[in-house]
Amino acid sequence: MDFKTLESQPIGTRVSLDELIRQMRWNEDGLIPAIAQQHDNGQVLMMAWMNAAALQETLTTGQVCYWSRSRQTYWRKGESSGNRQRLVGARLDCDGDTLLLQVDQQGPACHTLRPNCFYIELDAEQGRIITDPVADH
Amino acid sequence: MDFKTLESQPIGTRVSLDELIRQMRWNEDGLIPAIAQQHDNGQVLMMAWMNAAALQETLTTGQVCYWSRSRQTYWRKGESSGNRQRLVGARLDCDGDTLLLQVDQQGPACHTLRPNCFYIELDAEQGRIITDPVADH
């Protein structure tokens, strides 16, 4: 069932993960953007990328695994830093090209040790730093 | 100032928008992903793409303007549907390759007339439709 057909189906309609993965709009590198959101307070933590195997691993293990474009390898979030993301829920969007992960983040999500990656506030003239690294990390 | 330098600067540090736009990591098509989040309840509504001019227009006018990859033109959200996004705040992430827009969404954000685009819940075996289109739209 393609995404156009799916959008008119009723609540509760199910499609196998294998079929969704076939239909999803992976980019030319076989990747899809995944937004991580803290499940209880709604804070958007970061955005990174997944390939199909990273998505399957994440859904199976309940620990978020991305694909690192810079290192060209799996990136099991927190594996070296300890700042893991436990998966609480995962959702796919209407045209199958973006994932939303609801997670429980341990420690700061950002490599700068800020709680989340979005620390530069923009207006029409400038950007301004709005958060500090977590002090006691 | 590059993003590596910026991350160790104190709260309140300012950089001109022009400089940030030069430093941002636009993809090979000159685009960057922009996550739209409802400002008051934290709901992640959608993700779309912006080029530099769309970002500047959004920050200047306070109405969100994306770049449509399928139509290859500016996409002033809600221009035809009426389901506009008023910009409440905009943030750039630590490595300058993702935007987070806090918006006030009028009507459903999704082209399927659902409140947001993330209507397929995933688990390790399947996807399941979890929201209906807005009935009274």
Side-chain angles (χ1 to χ4, degrees):
Chain A
M1 199 181 310
D2 65 17
F3 288 105
K4 189 69 197 159
T5 308
L6 204 60
E7 66 183 55
S8 57
Q9 303 303 306
I11 283 187
T13 300
R14 292 157 196 269
V15 183
S16 77
L17 185 66
D18 289 347
E19 181 169 354
L20 284 174
I21 284 176
R22 276 195 300 276
Q23 300 275 351
M24 282 165 66
R25 290 169 53 200
W26 308 92
N27 74 7
E28 64 279 9
D29 297 318
L31 302 175
I32 196 170
I35 303 161
Q37 179 181 36
Q38 176 63 29
H39 74 103
D40 49 2
N41 65 16
Q43 192 174 116
V44 176
L45 300 171
M46 55 180 286
M47 200 207 77
W49 297 78
M50 286 186 168
N51 60 17
L55 173 59
Q56 286 168 315
E57 176 176 321
T58 298
L59 293 172
T60 303
T61 65
Q63 292 291 329
V64 177
C65 172
Y66 300 104
W67 177 260
S68 168
R69 297 179 302 170
S70 55
R71 293 183 287 116
Q72 287 288 301
T73 185
Y74 292 97
W75 170 24
R76 293 177 179 91
K77 176 72 178 162
E79 196 173 42
S80 57
S81 67
N83 301 329
R84 293 177 189 275
Q85 290 179 341
R86 181 174 65 81
L87 187 72
V88 175
R91 296 183 186 173
L92 180 64
D93 77 338
C94 56
D95 50 5
D97 67 359
T98 307
L99 292 162
L100 174 62
L101 309 175
Q102 285 156 330
V103 305
D104 190 21
Q105 170 73 49
Q106 290 183 15
C110 182
H111 80 282
T112 70
L113 302 183
R114 288 173 172 87
N116 68 72
C117 294
F118 299 95
Y119 79 91
I120 306 169
E121 187 176 70
L122 302 181
D123 64 30
E125 280 85 41
Q126 63 191 358
R128 190 173 62 91
I129 295 181
I130 56 167
T131 47
D132 268 338
V134 176
D136 60 351
H137 188 74
Chain B
M1 198 182 312
D2 65 16
F3 288 105
K4 188 69 197 160
T5 309
L6 204 60
E7 66 184 57
S8 57
Q9 302 304 306
I11 283 186
T13 300
R14 291 159 195 270
V15 183
S16 77
L17 185 66
D18 288 347
E19 181 169 353
L20 284 175
I21 284 176
R22 278 195 299 275
Q23 300 275 352
M24 282 165 66
R25 290 170 53 202
W26 308 93
N27 74 7
E28 64 277 12
D29 298 318
L31 302 174
I32 196 172
I35 302 160
Q37 179 180 37
Q38 175 64 28
H39 73 104
D40 49 3
N41 65 17
Q43 191 174 118
V44 176
L45 300 171
M46 56 180 285
M47 201 207 76
W49 296 77
M50 286 187 167
N51 60 16
L55 173 60
Q56 287 167 314
E57 176 176 320
T58 297
L59 293 171
T60 304
T61 64
Q63 292 289 330
V64 177
C65 172
Y66 300 104
W67 177 260
S68 168
R69 297 180 303 171
S70 55
R71 293 184 287 115
Q72 287 288 302
T73 184
Y74 293 98
W75 170 25
R76 293 177 179 92
K77 176 71 179 164
E79 196 173 42
S80 56
S81 67
N83 301 329
R84 292 176 190 275
Q85 290 179 342
R86 181 174 65 80
L87 187 72
V88 175
R91 296 183 186 173
L92 180 64
D93 77 338
C94 55
D95 50 4
D97 68 358
T98 308
L99 292 162
L100 175 62
L101 310 174
Q102 285 156 329
V103 304
D104 191 20
Q105 170 71 48
Q106 290 183 14
C110 182
H111 80 282
T112 68
L113 303 183
R114 289 173 172 87
N116 67 72
C117 293
F118 299 95
Y119 79 90
I120 306 169
E121 187 177 69
L122 301 182
D123 64 29
E125 280 85 42
Q126 64 191 359
R128 190 172 63 91
I129 296 181
I130 55 167
T131 46
D132 269 337
V134 176
D136 61 350
H137 189 74

